[in-house]
C-alpha cells in the first residue's frame, strides 16, 4: 500500500505542487465490516430530472465485495466519438499508413478510420480489459488490419516492440485522455456518481488484484492527504470541508458505494449548494463531481500515465507524423500543452499556485494562451499546426453533452 502513497507524491511533484505529505501513512484495509450496508449514514439527494438513481434491486456485500443481485441497468447510449470530424481532418491519414490509437475505448475513432481510409494498419491500445475485448472483435472484422494491445501507457514501449513497431514506425497517433463513456455507463465500475455501484474506479479492472480502489483511498488516507488529493486532482476549492465530512462518515462505517460517497459529500453543504455548479450547457452539476474526478485520477495515476503516453507517442512517430490529443479537464490539457512546448514536466508550471487554489483557472489559461502565441509554437520535437486549441461546436455539445469539456491539440513530429 506504500506504492499508492508513493504514486500520489510522485504525481503531485510532477505538477510542481510541493505538498508536505511525506509524513502521511497509508494503512489500506481492503476488508471492511460485513455490517456495512449502503443505506446507513446516507443523506438523501434531491436530484433534478433524475440525475442520480439508486436501484433497489441490488445490495452490495461489503465483506465479499460482490453484489447479491445484479444492478438494474438502463439501455446504454451508443458510443459517440468526440470531435471526430476534426480528429480525422488533422490526422490526415493516407492509405497504407500505420495508425496508433493509444486509448481505444469504445472504438469510435478507430472504426471511422477503418471505414474511411483503405489499407491502414491500426494498433488499438487500451488498459481496460473490456476495451481490449472490443478491439479483438474489431480485429476479427478487419483481418490483418487491427492489432489489439492491452496495457497502460507506461507499458506501451515494450508492447509495441512486441508488434515490431520501434521508434519512428508510426505515421499518426491519437490519444484520447480520461475516462471513456463505456466506463462511466457501467455502474459496477464505480466511476459515475449518477449510478450506484461499488466504489472502484480502476481502469484496469481486475488485471491487478492488489491495486487499491477508490474505496481504499477514502477509507485509509488521512484527512490531510485526502484533502490534498481533492485539491490537486479535482481542483476542488472546498477540499478541506469535503475531506472532513468523509473522515467523519468513515469513522461510523466504511465507505463502499458510489452514491454513499456522493451523499456524504452532499451532506457537507446546504441543499442550495448541491447543484449550484453549472457545466458548459448551464446544466446543474452535482457538488461531488470534482471529488469523483480527483479519486479517479489518483487511483489510476492518470497524470503520470498521460506523460508516459505522450512520451511513447513521441518515440514511435516518424518525422512528419501527426499526434492528436483529446483532453477533458484542465490538468490533462495543461500537461499536454507543456509537453508540446518542450517544457520539463518535472519543473513547477508557470502558474501562481494561490490563483490556482482560488479557482481562477479560466483567467490563468487565457493568459497562458496569449503567452503561447507570443513565444511561438515550436519545440525541439513538435510543431503545432493550430492557431488555437480546437473545442466542440455548440451543435456537437448539444448532441453529445459529454463532449462539452473536450479540447483537441495537434502537433507534427520534427
Amino acid at each position: 500500500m506504500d506504492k499508492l502513497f508513493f504514486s500520489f507524491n510522485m504525481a503531485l511533484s510532477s505538477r510542481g505542487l510541493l505538498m508536505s505529505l511525506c509524513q502521511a501513512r497509508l494503512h489500506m484495509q481492503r476488508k471492511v465490516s460485513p455490517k456495512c450496508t449502503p443505506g446507513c449514514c446516507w443523506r438523501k439527494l434531491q436530484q433534478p430530472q433524475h440525475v442520480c438513481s439508486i436501484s433497489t434491486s441490488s445490495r452490495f456485500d461489503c465483506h465479499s465485495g460482490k453484489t447479491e443481485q445484479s444492478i438494474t441497468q438502463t439501455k446504454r447510449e451508443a458510443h459517440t466519438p468526440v470531435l471526430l470530424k476534426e480528429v480525422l481532418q488533422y490526422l490526415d491519414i493516407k492509405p497504407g499508413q500505420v495508425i496508433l490509437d493509444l486509448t481505444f475505448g469504445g472504438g469510435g475513432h478507430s472504426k471511422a478510420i477503418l471505414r474511411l481510409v483503405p489499407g491502414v494498419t491500426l494498433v488499438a491500445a487500451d488498459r481496460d480489459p473490456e476495451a481490449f475485448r472490443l478491439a479483438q472483435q474489431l480485429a476479427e472484422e478487419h483481418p490483418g488490419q487491427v492489432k489489439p494491445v492491452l496495457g497502460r501507457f507506461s507499458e506501451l514501449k515494450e508492447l509495441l516492440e512486441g508488434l515490431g513497431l520501434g521508434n519512428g514506425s508510426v505515421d499518426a497517433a491519437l490519444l484520447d485522455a480520461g475516462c471513456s463513456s463505456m466506463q462511466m455507463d457501467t455502474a459496477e465500475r464505480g466511476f459515475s456518481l449518477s449510478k450506484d455501484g461499488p466504489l472502484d474506479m480502476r481502469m484496469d479492472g481486475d488485471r491487478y488484484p492488489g491495486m487499491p480502489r477508490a474505496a481504499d483511498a477514502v477509507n485509509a488516507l488521512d484527512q490531510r492527504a485526502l484533502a490534498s488529493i481533492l485539491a490537486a486532482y479535482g481542483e476542488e476549492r472546498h477540499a478541506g470541508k469535503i475531506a472532513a465530512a468523509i473522515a467523519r462518515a468513515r469513522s461510523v462505517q466504511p465507505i463502499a458505494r458510489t452514491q454513499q460517497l456522493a451523499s456524504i459529500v452532499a451532506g457537507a453543504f446546504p441543499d442550495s449548494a448541491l447543484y449550484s455548479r453549472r457545466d458548459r450547457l448551464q446544466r446543474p452539476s452535482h457538488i461531488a463531481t470534482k471529488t469523483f474526478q480527483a479519486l479517479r485520477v489518483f487511483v489510476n495515476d492518470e497524470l503520470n500515465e498521460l506523460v508516459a503516453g505522450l512520451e511513447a507517442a513521441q518515440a514511435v512517430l516518424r518525422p512528419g507524423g501527426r499526434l492528436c490529443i483529446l483532453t477533458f479537464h484542465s490538468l490533462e490539457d495543461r500537461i499536454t500543452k507543456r509537453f508540446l512546448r518542450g517544457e520539463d514536466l518535472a519543473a513547477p508550471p508557470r502558474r501562481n499556485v494561490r490563483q490556482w487554489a482560488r479557482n481562477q483557472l479560466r483567467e490563468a489559461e487565457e493568459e497562458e494562451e496569449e503567452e503561447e502565441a507570443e513565444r511561438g509554437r515550436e519545440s525541439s520535437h513538435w510543431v503545432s499546426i493550430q492557431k488555437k486549441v480546437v473545442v466542440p461546436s455548440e451543435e456537437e455539445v448539444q448532441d453529445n453533452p459529454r463532449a462539452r469539456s473536450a479540447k483537441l491539440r495537434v502537433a507534427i513530429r520534427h
Side-chain angles (χ1 to χ4, degrees), residues 74-255:
T74 58
K75 185 178 181 180
R76 298 178 186 171
E77 300 176 1
H79 174 67
T80 305
V82 174
L83 287 168
L84 176 60
K85 178 182 176 181
E86 292 81 358
V87 166
L88 295 174
Q89 173 189 339
Y90 281 112
L91 285 177
D92 192 25
I93 301 168
K94 303 294 191 297
Q97 288 188 333
V98 178
I99 313 302
L100 172 59
D101 186 345
L102 287 92
T103 40
F104 181 79
H109 292 100
S110 289
K111 291 174 183 177
I113 291 170
L114 291 167
R115 183 173 65 251
L116 297 173
V117 188
V120 297
T121 298
L122 190 140
V123 179
D126 207 292
R127 66 189 291 180
D128 191 320
E130 178 62 20
F132 179 67
R133 184 185 65 80
L134 295 177
Q136 288 178 313
Q137 291 180 358
L138 190 64
E140 293 176 358
E141 298 170 11
H142 299 269
Q145 280 191 271
V146 179
K147 301 181 184 297
V149 172
L150 176 62
R152 302 175 179 179
F153 291 150
S154 54
E155 301 167 332
L156 271 180
K157 183 177 184 294
E158 292 75 15
L159 292 170
L160 293 177
E161 287 176 351
L163 296 176
L165 298 175
N167 291 352
S169 59
V170 171
D171 297 290
L174 169 65
L175 194 160
D176 185 348
C179 190
S180 73
S181 299
M182 179 176 61
Q183 292 164 336
M184 293 294 294
D185 289 339
T186 306
E188 291 86 349
R189 300 295 298 272
F191 288 95
S192 175
L193 61 79
S194 66
K195 297 178 174 65
D196 186 48
L199 193 57
D200 193 326
M201 298 193 189
R202 296 171 302 161
M203 290 181 174
D204 298 278
D206 293 323
R207 289 182 61 218
Y208 302 100
M211 179 180 175
R213 298 171 171 84
D216 299 318
V218 297
N219 286 302
L221 284 166
D222 66 40
Q223 184 175 328
R224 184 185 177 196
L226 191 56
S228 295
I229 288 173
L230 300 184
Y233 296 144
E235 300 177 311
E236 173 58 72
R237 66 178 182 272
H238 301 299
K241 179 185 291 188
I242 293 171
I246 290 173
R248 288 193 298 270
R250 72 189 184 191
S251 68
V252 178
Q253 66 162 29
I255 302 169

Side-chain angles (χ1 to χ4, degrees), residues 289-359:
T289 299
K290 292 184 177 181
T291 297
F292 273 64
Q293 172 189 305
L295 289 171
R296 190 202 79 214
V297 171
F298 171 63
V299 166
N300 295 288
D301 195 19
E302 288 183 33
L303 301 187
N304 283 327
E305 285 295 319
L306 174 58
V307 174
L310 294 169
E311 291 174 344
Q314 180 171 288
V316 299
L317 275 173
R318 63 170 178 79
R322 297 191 172 205
L323 173 63
C324 285
I325 307 160
L326 278 166
T327 60
F328 291 86
H329 58 73
S330 58
L331 300 179
E332 297 168 341
D333 185 59
R334 205 171 301 137
I335 289 174
T336 298
K337 188 161 39 178
R338 296 180 67 204
F339 178 82
L340 295 179
R341 289 176 184 163
E343 294 183 21
D344 179 6
L345 296 180
R350 286 189 297 274
R351 167 165 286 116
N352 185 293
V353 176
R354 183 171 295 177
Q355 287 181 336
W356 166 80
R358 289 175 179 175
N359 202 33

